Amino acid sequence: METLFPPEIQALKEECERYAQEELAPLAEKLGEIDDVPTELRDSLGRSGLYRHIFPEEYGGYGTSAVKICVAREALAGVYGPADTTLAMQGLGGYPIVLKGNEEQKKKYLPRIASGELLSTFCLTEPEAGSDVSNLQTSAERKNGKFVINGRKRFISNGFSADVAVLFARTPEGGARSISAFILEKGMKGFNVAHRIPLMASHDIVEFEFKDLEVPEENLLGQVGDGYKLSMHTLDLMRMSVGAAAVGMGKRALKEAIAYSKKRVQFGSPISSFQGVSFKLAEMATDIETARCVVYLAAAKKDKGDPQASLYSSMAKMQGTEAAFRCIDQAVQIHGGVGVVKGSPVERLYREIRPLRIYEGTTEIQKLIIASHLLKG
Ligand SMILES: Cc1cc2nc3c(=O)[nH]c(=O)nc-3n(C[C@H](O)[C@H](O)[C@H](O)COP(=O)(O)OP(=O)(O)OC[C@H]3O[C@@H](n4cnc5c(N)ncnc54)[C@H](O)[C@@H]3O)c2cc1C
């Protein structure tokens, strides 16, 4: 894959890998399993400058680039899952403002999200609206120059630590199917974490409850009714990068499996000398490298404005997460009993990869999207 990277992308890849190894790995060791975004992680990611690849230059970024976001996520995810999640959430919470924010909103929020001063999140999913997001029920009704929001949002990543959120809610004034987007700020009255959700792997994730949350009209993003398309366009930028993060995790598992298979001796030989093990390594490497190709193809298409980017983005998300899951499972197998001991890198990866096959559209939903592109011709 590197053969196809221009020098600028190769340099970023090396910079990200250096950051991940030299700064993030010791931090991961120190912080361990977490369910929020500790200040040290927040500060470190902010200093790394990696969020800036999500945002335009005029608002504190280096220019939005799907390829660069993928390079960064691939490097971070294999080293520390929560760092990767935080990078992704800056995109999911910040990019809707790039797409639909007015000048005032962009100036107010984007430079601070790009620098890491503010952490952002994206509130779309509800208890009764997961894959079927168009069924969301949270409502926003205009009263006395404000929008009054009532409802719940479930599985919101970085919801505990985020300072700002983009929320999608039904707006009856725009018609029965109208969904609009709003910028929320921590501390607004009625914007409450209902409870944190304990996950199988490190993740800051919550359910929100909104009770008569009053949002000023100036926090409406775009026009009433713009919300549904805005959520989909935001996911279009970030979806292939879930595949990139998965590839990063799969590559780490492969590296661990190779090292272990060379040092573990059974029947008088390193287990890597048994074809049953070495063939596994060959399949894992091929699976992951194939996934990487479609991830970067999708990202390059997105950066070029190719109309097929959305199709390839779904392929990249599905192939990246499924291949990484297979690869990590085999890495655990190669480690034998050691692979399921809590705290070993492959055991952690086995838990961390699982949600990636679910969030930002499950594998089944990616298949629906891919099939609908194919059938439309
Ligand atoms: C770790 C994690 C982080 C998340 N972070 C966020 C976040 O920050 N913000 C946010 O808004 N959301 C977030 N989500 C929510 C996530 O996007 C949803 O969980 C996901 O879209 C699936 O919705 P659901 O859980 O309600 O499952 P459901 O939609 O109930 O699906 C259950 C099963 O049915 C299948 N299914 C559903 N419909 C179909 C169909 N038409 N055809 C075939 N199969 C189907 C699904 O593939 C799945 O296997 C997160 C979820 C997780 C697990």
Side-chain angles (χ1 to χ4, degrees):
M1 198 61 229
E2 279 70 6
T3 328
L4 300 175
F5 282 168
E8 186 197 358
I9 301 296
Q10 183 58 30
L12 176 66
K13 177 177 175 282
E14 285 162 19
E15 179 197 322
C16 290
E17 287 172 353
R18 199 167 36 248
Y19 166 71
Q21 286 312 322
E22 291 174 11
E23 238 192 271
L24 208 51
L27 199 52
E29 191 68 33
K30 182 175 168 195
L31 297 174
E33 302 264 331
I34 52 176
D35 60 2
D36 62 357
V37 186
T39 311
E40 277 172 281
L41 179 59
R42 233 180 132 117
D43 291 350
S44 169
L45 282 164
R47 273 195 313 273
S48 76
L50 294 177
Y51 303 145
R52 297 186 191 275
H53 296 292
I54 303 164
F55 300 100
E57 284 178 33
E58 57 273 44
Y59 304 108
Y62 298 145
T64 306
S65 162
V67 169
K68 291 180 181 173
I69 296 169
C70 286
V71 167
R73 290 196 69 179
E74 184 184 337
L76 265 48
V79 174
Y80 201 33
D84 167 62
T85 305
T86 300
L87 174 59
M89 294 317 296
Q90 294 298 80
L92 284 169
Y95 199 59
I97 304 175
V98 174
L99 290 175
K100 279 287 173 195
N102 57 35
E103 203 46 35
E104 207 175 311
Q105 291 167 334
K106 286 179 177 175
K107 281 193 181 135
K108 181 170 177 191
Y109 297 106
L110 294 180
R112 297 168 73 199
I113 299 175
S115 69
E117 181 193 336
L118 296 179
L119 289 187
S120 70
T121 188
F122 178 83
C123 302
L124 183 64
T125 304
E126 298 183 0
E128 302 308 324
S131 299
D132 183 10
V133 286
S134 62
N135 185 42
L136 64 83
Q137 298 303 322
T138 295
S139 67
E141 294 190 46
R142 207 189 294 251
K143 275 187 199 151
N144 306 325
K146 290 183 173 159
F147 283 93
V148 180
I149 297 184
N150 283 287
R152 297 182 87 85
K153 291 285 171 184
R154 185 166 73 164
F155 294 137
I156 306 306
S157 298
N158 280 5
F160 189 75
S161 305
D163 307 292
V164 288
V166 168
L167 168 95
F168 299 89
R170 202 159 280 288
T171 30
E173 69 180 60
R177 296 174 62 82
S178 168
I179 292 173
S180 306
F182 301 88
I183 304 172
L184 309 184
E185 291 183 24
K186 199 176 200 163
M188 283 177 162
K189 197 163 160 276
F191 181 18
N192 304 317
V193 171
H195 57 91
R196 298 171 82 164
I197 305 173
L199 282 204
M200 63 200 286
S202 280
H203 209 100
D204 172 340
I205 189 162
V206 305
E207 181 161 334
F208 280 120
E209 184 176 28
F210 309 107
K211 279 192 186 155
D212 293 329
L213 162 64
E214 292 186 357
V215 177
E217 277 184 345
E218 64 258 27
N219 284 32
L220 173 69
L221 251 184
Q223 304 298 315
V224 165
D226 281 350
Y228 184 74
K229 271 195 183 155
L230 178 59
S231 69
M232 294 300 126
H233 289 155
T234 303
L235 290 171
D236 261 355
L237 173 73
M238 297 306 293
R239 193 167 263 157
M240 83 282 285
S241 75
V242 183
V247 163
M249 293 180 183
K251 270 174 43 191
R252 170 75 188 274
L254 175 62
K255 191 173 151 202
E256 298 289 336
I258 292 170
Y260 187 79
S261 71
K262 291 207 280 194
K263 71 171 195 227
R264 174 68 175 165
V265 173
Q266 287 293 280
F267 302 98
S269 305
I271 59 171
S272 59
S273 68
F274 306 134
Q275 202 176 63
V277 172
S278 65
F279 273 22
K280 277 192 176 49
L281 297 173
E283 286 163 5
M284 289 155 72
T286 309
D287 217 5
I288 281 297
E289 209 50 31
T290 311
R292 251 184 121 210
C293 290
V294 74
V295 163
Y296 285 100
L297 184 57
K301 281 182 181 288
K302 179 73 189 163
D303 287 343
K304 283 198 155 75
D306 185 324
Q308 283 195 317
S310 163
L311 164 65
Y312 279 81
S313 190
S314 283
M315 289 179 177
K317 204 261 169 181
M318 178 170 92
Q319 184 63 16
T321 56
E322 294 294 329
F325 181 73
R326 289 190 290 270
C327 180
I328 294 168
D329 185 45
Q330 291 291 32
V332 170
Q333 194 68 14
I334 289 171
H335 279 74
V338 171
V340 290
V341 173
K342 224 168 170 18
S344 71
V346 291
E347 179 273 338
R348 177 181 56 77
L349 289 165
Y350 190 76
R351 289 182 290 112
E352 282 186 351
I353 188 63
R354 194 63 188 80
L356 277 70
R357 294 167 67 206
I358 295 170
Y359 66 62
E360 286 194 44
T362 62
T363 293
E364 293 75 19
I365 295 303
Q366 304 313 321
K367 287 183 189 173
L368 286 181
I369 298 171
I370 295 165
S372 86
H373 276 278
L374 299 177
L375 296 170
K376 269 191 294 196

